[in-house]
Amino acid sequence: MGANHHHETFPWKHVVGFILSLLLTFAALWVALSSGLSTAAVIGIIVILAVIQASLQLFMFMHMTESDSGKIQTINMAYSFFIAIVVVVGSIWTMSFVL
């Protein structure tokens, strides 16, 4: 195989990530529509499934573990997480004045 033996011809990692993402999405859909759980439990489970799916996609599709500059990627991810939290909390805070 030579020096480039780590390059696969078929993207199995992407296929597995896609299938797992679909399973997590369908699990969230089932919890929301057919589980019969309380609203708070449904929201909690969906949030947990969303975090798992986001993490899965970061590692399976965004190649988080394949870089030589792990420190830079960690800083970028922390900054992105901070921005996402600010947007969500700011949106909820703004919408609380409407209701």
Side-chain angles (χ1 to χ4, degrees):
M1 290 187 126
N4 292 330
H5 62 81
H6 65 278
H7 290 101
E8 296 181 29
T9 56
F10 190 79
W12 285 110
K13 187 175 180 182
H14 293 95
V15 172
V16 170
F18 177 68
I19 291 170
L20 290 173
S21 292
L22 283 176
L23 290 173
L24 288 166
T25 300
F26 289 131
L29 184 65
W30 178 83
V31 167
L33 299 178
S34 301
S35 68
L37 297 172
S38 69
T39 303
V42 168
I43 291 172
I45 292 170
I46 289 176
V47 167
I48 291 168
L49 290 172
V51 169
I52 293 170
Q53 186 167 353
S55 302
L56 173 82
Q57 290 180 4
L58 282 173
F59 289 104
M60 297 297 237
F61 300 119
M62 301 304 289
H63 310 287
M64 289 296 295
T65 58
E66 298 176 11
S67 173
D68 294 332
S69 59
K71 183 177 180 182
I72 291 172
Q73 283 191 340
T74 302
I75 292 169
N76 287 340
M77 289 308 302
Y79 179 69
S80 300
F81 183 71
F82 171 74
I83 294 299
I85 294 296
V86 168
V87 168
V88 170
V89 170
S91 298
I92 293 171
W93 180 68
T94 303
M95 288 186 294
S96 69
F97 291 109
V98 174
L99 302 174

